[in-house]
Amino acid sequence: MQANALGSGALVLGLICLAGGCRAEAAPPQRIQGAIGGGVYRLPGNIHRIPAAAQDTGPADPSLVLPRITLHLAMTAAQKSDLQALVRAQQTRGSAEYHHWLNPEQFAERFGANPTDIQKIGAWLESQGFSDVEASRSRTSISFSGTAEQVQEAFGTTLHRIEVNGAVHYANLKNPVLPAALKGMVEGIRGLNNFHPKPHAIRKRAGFRPRFTSSISGGTHLTPADFATIYDINPIYNSGIDGTGETIAVAGQSDIQLPDIAAFRTAAGLPANDPQVVLAGDDPGTNSDDQSESELDLEWAGGIAKNASIVFVNSNDVFTSMGYAIDNNLANVLVITYGACESSVGTAEIASINAELEQANALGITVVAASGDDGAADCDVGTNSTAPSVASQGLAVDFPASSPYVIAVGGTEFNEGSGAYWQPQSTTDIISSALSYIPEMAWNDTVADGSLSATGGGVSSYSTKPSWQAGSGVPADGMRDVPDISFTASPDHDGYLVCSGDGASGSTSVPDCTNGFRAANQDLDVVGGTSAPVPAFAGIVALLDQQSGGRQGDIDANLYSLASISTDVFHDITQGNNIVPCTQGSTNCPATAPMQIGYSAGPGYDLVTGLGSVDAYHLLLEWNARFTITPDPAALTVSPGSTASSTITVAPAGGFEGPVSFSCMVSSGLANTTCSVPGTVSGSGTVTLTVTAGATAMMLHGHAKWPFLAGLGIILLLTWPRKRVRLAAIALACCSLAAVSCGSGNSSTPLQGMTLQAAAESGVVTVTGTAGVMTQTATVSVTVQ
């Protein structure tokens, strides 16, 4: 079932319509002068890395149809700076822009290309024979369709047939060429290859030990009810928060079967709630792995946010689906469980996708992505016909998880020890058998599975560290670190139950979930990998949105802020690693045993599990945790050599518990004054600001020249060695102090008209209260006299 296809007519520009109706807006600057033609330039960074196992079999058929090619348009430097400032302000409490999200038309007015430039580019594309030329609502990209021959003629690059593990792909092996008039206007071109992002789910079928608690094996697997118990979602449900009124979008690249989602909801005891299917471009048909991936996402996002609306956006490429969901503002939460290592994506494509993700932030969309399933060696996936058992491509992280505009979700594994955390086996399957939170360690099944199978994590080679990524354990590496948070992800211990169209035995002849979660042959369909917790966390975000009264945008900053002050929002994962074996002599691999690369979990943030897993109830309870500090009195008068004090009161809000420590600073106008604020406050309470004034400088007022000359005479007296000069200095000092003319014959009364007066000092003392990475300030006016 597909719907809402993109229009296929001429270039779409549209009117700018806001809540108050359609009105004219000041357009962005026009950047293309004259007609497009003349010289050309080569656009760098637009080659997808070809896997090592690939074979180039020559040029593609000239008649090969590329379903969707997209020119991503670059913002001006001023627009980029403005957008960065906006998204920061939208997440800064107290800012006039706080949580004031844009719609696509408002985004276009402020950050899109000039409509005239859009028209010129569209006309040029049509002159090259391309069809279905269409601009995005945000005026940040133009999409079109064409053949390999048209691509070669327009962009000066030949598409080649590339075979990888029996699958035939096409790709450009040289960067495209564009008219010189477009230099600086085009950031990248997507769609010149069909190497699509890979799903991050690991599936187990027949013969795998079934659990949840199983009536057959007594083992355990996860249902939405289990996840809700383990990660403390049930109190949220009990308060009436279930996702009602919220929307989650899932980006995919395969058709799905709605009966599978319906069967999952029935087996899990959830109310019926079919997803809406939106087609972005041509129908891609059905691919088994992609279908299973999308059905996992749809089932578990709706399994946690029980009554949220779920939208599935489908196209030939998951990044196309993602861009369509953002450009059309389809949801407040967006799920992406696909990705590829950064170096295989290419710098231009990373830049253009990051621009779309930053746009999502400005619209208030929370984007959640998977960190990958190959441990610290993300680039090794897909280099062999089977999952590699040894890394050879070096340390790498997954994109878009490494984007600073998404929440990167990694994986943990339950570590029960001798504890009893599940209901024991019964004569029937127990759909909700988890009893409480279960201790966790980092997910790494590489040794047990004989292939790279561990949570992705590490340091980005592309994105610099965002300002919000700070706190205990965060490396001082200057780059974006992955992941941000983690949840259970091991398919071995314990996987997520799903209902998927090709059946638990990998055959449509044995359909899934005909008897609860069991197939007709009693098997279960179980998945793991970092894809599994992503839709579950997206469901938690939808619950957060409902409680908070609307979209929250990129919640990363608040997650790190909470981690710095809360003791119960995160489960700090300190055991395990994402270390994998590596080929001696390969990138990053040690020269001596043990030949392995990766990172270990530890206290605070780490490059394996991020901040840890989340207690959902406390996350929502403390989401708006903050504090204020207020001085009383707010103005002090202090005498020289004395002290004065002000009481600083800490008032908590939103579940804030502290502790708050304090510092103070005096302004330059209080040169002889010091301050101190000893003590800390947990939650609410007071501390005392003490201001101490030193001896205030005395300044002579009246005939200003006489004090100056007296001072000069004294300096000469003390420093000059010659007797005659010393005598003159004594005379100068005496005459000045007596205020006489010294040789003029005219005299006056000593110190006539002189006053000795202390000048008042004034300024402010700034008090700063600090809790983790959260700060608040207050000022106290101080006068010394």
Side-chain angles (χ1 to χ4, degrees):
M1 296 178 62
Q2 313 290 355
N4 294 348
L6 285 170
S8 58
L11 185 69
V12 176
L13 293 177
L15 293 173
I16 298 171
C17 298
L18 303 178
C22 295
R23 58 188 176 90
E25 292 289 336
Q30 186 175 338
R31 299 160 66 188
I32 302 175
Q33 305 302 320
I36 297 177
V40 296
Y41 75 102
R42 197 168 291 278
L43 186 66
N46 281 268
I47 300 175
H48 187 91
R49 191 183 74 169
I50 306 302
Q55 181 180 2
D56 181 359
T57 61
D61 186 333
S63 64
L64 172 71
V65 176
L66 282 66
R68 211 66 183 152
I69 308 169
T70 301
L71 291 182
H72 288 273
L73 307 180
M75 298 181 200
T76 65
Q79 285 176 317
K80 289 180 180 179
S81 178
D82 186 20
L83 179 55
Q84 290 170 356
L86 173 66
V87 295
R88 284 195 302 269
Q90 287 174 323
Q91 294 293 350
T92 302
R93 287 190 174 93
S95 165
E97 302 285 354
Y98 180 64
H99 282 194
H100 287 183
W101 313 118
L102 304 183
N103 62 38
E105 284 69 37
Q106 291 169 324
F107 190 92
E109 296 164 23
R110 192 164 170 181
F111 304 110
N114 184 283
T116 300
D117 290 339
I118 294 281
Q119 290 172 336
K120 287 184 177 181
I121 297 172
W124 176 78
L125 289 169
E126 290 176 339
S127 74
Q128 301 301 304
F130 294 115
S131 59
D132 300 331
V133 181
E134 184 178 40
S136 62
R137 288 175 65 182
S138 58
R139 299 206 304 267
T140 57
S141 65
I142 301 176
S143 297
F144 52 95
S145 300
T147 65
E149 182 178 22
Q150 289 168 335
V151 166
Q152 181 177 349
E153 289 295 321
F155 301 122
T157 183
T158 302
L159 301 184
H160 281 240
R161 286 170 47 90
I162 308 295
E163 293 188 10
V164 184
N165 302 326
V168 178
H169 299 266
Y170 60 83
N172 60 304
L173 304 183
K174 292 183 179 180
N175 280 311
V177 168
L178 286 171
L182 299 183
K183 194 168 187 178
M185 274 291 298
V186 177
E187 190 156 46
I189 305 178
R190 291 191 57 246
L192 299 183
N193 68 78
N194 65 344
F195 284 96
H196 303 307
K198 298 298 182 183
H200 291 312
I202 301 173
R203 195 173 182 191
K204 303 288 186 177
R205 295 190 177 100
F208 185 72
R209 58 184 186 276
R211 304 174 168 187
F212 64 114
T213 296
S214 167
S215 62
I216 297 175
S217 68
T220 50
H221 273 322
L222 289 174
T223 67
D226 292 321
F227 192 95
T229 296
I230 295 166
Y231 293 111
D232 204 15
I233 304 176
N234 287 325
I236 301 172
Y237 295 149
N238 294 338
S239 70
I241 302 295
D242 59 7
T244 299
E246 307 304 323
T247 304
I248 302 172
V250 170
Q253 54 188 28
S254 170
D255 291 352
I256 60 168
Q257 297 297 320
L258 292 180
D260 292 337
I261 286 84
F264 176 87
R265 296 187 69 86
T266 297
L270 299 167
N273 185 12
D274 283 348
Q276 176 191 1
V277 180
V278 176
L279 185 61
D282 296 335
D283 191 329
T286 300
N287 177 284
S288 177
D289 288 342
D290 291 315
Q291 177 188 336
S292 298
E293 179 79 4
S294 293
E295 290 181 352
L296 157 69
D297 296 344
L298 295 165
E299 289 166 1
W300 274 86
I304 300 303
K306 301 178 182 181
N307 284 317
S309 298
I310 312 296
V311 178
F312 178 58
V313 186
N314 190 20
S315 73
N316 283 288
D317 184 273
V318 73
F319 286 154
T320 298
S321 301
M322 177 203 77
Y324 184 85
I326 294 169
D327 193 55
N328 289 279
N329 208 13
L330 294 182
N332 50 317
V333 188
L334 176 59
V335 171
I336 306 172
T337 56
Y338 288 72
C341 81
E342 290 179 316
S343 64
S344 71
V345 178
T347 56
E349 187 166 5
I350 287 179
S352 60
I353 292 174
N354 268 337
E356 291 180 311
L357 294 169
E358 191 173 19
Q359 177 184 341
N361 291 176
L363 271 57
I365 301 172
T366 305
V367 185
V368 190
S371 71
D373 302 337
D374 300 281
D378 197 79
C379 285
D380 280 273
V381 64
T383 57
N384 300 292
S385 57
T386 58
S389 59
V390 179
S392 61
Q393 305 298 308
L395 294 168
V397 294
D398 202 78
F399 183 82
S402 64
S403 169
Y405 309 113
V406 308
I407 318 301
V409 179
T412 67
E413 185 168 353
F414 293 137
N415 186 26
E416 290 98 330
S418 59
Y421 297 100
W422 303 88
Q423 293 185 42
Q425 182 177 7
S426 177
T427 56
T428 59
D429 292 333
I430 303 174
I431 301 301
S432 178
S433 58
L435 299 174
S436 67
Y437 171 71
I438 302 173
E440 297 166 275
M441 61 188 294
W443 164 49
N444 193 339
D445 291 335
T446 298
V447 174
D449 290 357
S451 61
L452 302 186
S453 182
T455 180
V459 183
S460 172
S461 297
Y462 181 88
S463 295
T464 57
K465 190 181 294 296
S467 60
W468 45 257
Q469 193 164 39
S472 175
V474 175
D477 50 24
M479 304 301 288
R480 166 73 160 122
D481 296 315
V482 178
D484 296 310
I485 57 173
S486 295
F487 293 90
T488 181
S490 170
D492 298 349
H493 181 69
D494 300 80
Y496 293 67
L497 290 170
V498 296
C499 298
S500 188
D502 60 359
S505 299
S507 169
T508 55
S509 62
V510 186
D512 265 1
C513 300
T514 58
N515 179 21
F517 283 105
R518 294 192 178 277
N521 63 357
Q522 296 300 302
D523 281 344
L524 298 170
D525 207 350
V526 182
V527 299
T530 54
S531 280
V534 167
F537 181 66
I540 293 175
V541 175
L543 302 179
L544 171 64
D545 287 354
Q546 183 184 358
Q547 175 189 268
S548 302
R551 298 182 176 198
Q552 299 299 297
D554 182 11
I555 64 173
D556 263 321
N558 214 37
L559 289 175
Y560 282 83
S561 178
L562 281 175
S564 73
I565 63 173
S566 176
T567 60
D568 47 18
V569 169
F570 298 93
H571 307 292
D572 190 10
I573 313 301
T574 60
Q575 298 183 49
N577 57 67
N578 65 354
I579 295 172
V580 295
C582 58
T583 302
Q584 187 175 18
S586 64
T587 303
N588 301 129
C589 192
T592 58
M595 270 73 78
Q596 55 189 24
I597 55 175
Y599 308 94
S600 295
Y605 180 91
D606 57 66
L607 295 170
V608 186
T609 63
L611 299 171
S613 64
V614 171
D615 181 300
Y617 172 69
H618 285 282
L619 177 72
L620 268 66
L621 184 68
E622 300 173 35
W623 184 247
N624 291 308
R626 60 193 184 279
F627 67 95
T628 58
I629 58 175
T630 306
D632 184 23
L636 296 174
T637 300
V638 57
S639 301
S642 301
T643 64
S645 62
S646 176
T647 299
I648 308 298
T649 300
V650 177
F656 177 82
E657 296 178 351
V660 183
S661 59
F662 298 88
S663 62
C664 62
M665 182 176 65
V666 296
S667 65
S668 58
L670 299 169
N672 298 303
T673 303
T674 60
C675 66
S676 63
V677 194
T680 61
V681 171
S682 293
S684 61
T686 62
V687 291
T688 300
L689 165 68
T690 301
V691 177
T692 303
T696 305
M698 306 297 290
M699 298 183 64
L700 295 176
H701 296 269
H703 298 287
K705 67 178 180 180
W706 303 123
F708 169 75
L709 292 174
L712 177 60
I714 293 170
I715 292 172
L716 290 172
L717 176 65
L718 295 176
T719 60
W720 200 270
R722 297 180 63 179
K723 181 177 180 180
R724 184 175 298 176
V725 175
R726 290 169 62 84
L727 291 173
I730 293 171
L732 176 63
C734 291
C735 288
S736 299
L737 290 174
V740 296
S741 62
C742 296
S744 65
N746 298 322
S747 62
S748 59
T749 304
L751 300 179
Q752 180 182 8
M754 301 300 293
T755 58
L756 195 63
Q757 177 180 336
E761 292 183 347
S762 63
V764 298
V765 172
T766 301
V767 179
T768 301
T770 302
V773 299
M774 188 182 299
T775 62
Q776 291 290 331
T777 61
T779 58
V780 177
S781 299
V782 176
T783 301
V784 181
Q785 63 181 20

